[in-house]
Amino acid sequence: MSVGPPEPAGLGEHHLALRERARAVARSVAPYAAEADAAVALHAKVREALAGSGLCDLVVPAEFGGAADRLDPLAIAVVREAFMYESAHLDSMFGMQGVGSYPIAVGGTPPVQRHWLPRVRALTAVAALALTEPDVGSDLRAVSTTVEAVGGDLRLRGRKSFITNAGAADFYSVLAREGEGWSMVLVPADSPGLAVTCGAT
Ligand SMILES: Cc1cc2nc3c(=O)[nH]c(=O)nc-3n(C[C@H](O)[C@H](O)[C@H](O)COP(=O)(O)OP(=O)(O)OC[C@H]3O[C@@H](n4cnc5c(N)ncnc54)[C@H](O)[C@@H]3O)c2cc1C
């Protein structure tokens, strides 16, 4: 008779194989890892290695070229662990493709999903998530950025800070207050009025 909590089952074959793939990618960027972490821009060779690995398939639903109908959080965690062991930049790039595009995957209109998600998967579009503001961190209900419909457009007003990939991203998923509630708003990087600054806010 056994006592105490059950032993963890461990990773199955599928996840072990993913881990090996991710470790191989991580090892391939190890020579540039320190340089990539020190740089303020996206590191081209790290980006190329990640794009070529096919592992961004994990952050996009199968309908748009991804690996599975529903995203597999364990698979994503396994890959991130392997990446971050060698390169924070590689892990960040992979992680941001996921969290930056997830609002599109779950709430985007079909044309928006068809436009952006295959590009996220191929890493031809870089994603960013913009939640934090100069005066708002953990307590996201306090965001002061607003969005309102004006004519046929959406007008977003506010400032975000600490945004990973800011300036390099092709789109931003932005949290904003809309009336009494909150919305995630897709902001392509070439949207009129969008400005990215570096330094103190
Ligand atoms: C490297 C880096 C990259 C980032 N990238 C992004 C990004 O891409 N997009 C984005 O939107 N943001 C990004 N952020 C911002 C990050 O998400 C915020 O720093 C985070 O939300 C915490 O906010 P804060 O720093 O203002 O801390 P605060 O919210 O002020 O919290 C300060 C401390 O108080 C604790 N605390 C807060 N509230 C409570 C509570 N109710 N009970 C108990 N303890 C509490 C916190 O745990 C923390 O220890 C990034 C930050 C860093 C450092």
Side-chain angles (χ1 to χ4, degrees), residues 1-2 7 22 32 37 41 59 61 82 107 118 143 157 167 172 198:
M1 194 177 90
S2 66
E7 284 295 312
Y32 328 112
D37 285 356
V59 302
V143 290
R157 292 176 195 267
Y172 300 82
C198 190

Side-chain angles (χ1 to χ4, degrees), residues 90-173:
L90 175 63
D91 169 52
S92 168
M93 210 184 286
F94 175 73
M96 291 316 301
Q97 287 304 94
V99 296
S101 69
Y102 191 65
I104 298 176
V106 297
T109 60
V112 163
Q113 292 175 324
R114 282 196 297 272
H115 178 81
W116 288 109
L117 295 177
R119 289 169 169 81
V120 166
R121 173 184 162 257
L123 204 41
T124 53
V126 172
L129 178 70
L131 310 176
T132 305
E133 299 183 353
D135 296 317
V136 181
S138 310
D139 184 11
L140 290 173
R141 289 169 304 181
V143 290
S144 61
T145 297
T146 57
V147 61
E148 59 176 336
V150 179
D153 293 326
L154 290 178
R155 182 178 293 159
L156 204 55
R157 292 176 195 267
R159 297 176 76 194
K160 296 291 180 179
S161 58
F162 278 122
I163 308 308
T164 303
N165 293 344
D170 293 281
F171 68 88
Y172 300 82
S173 292

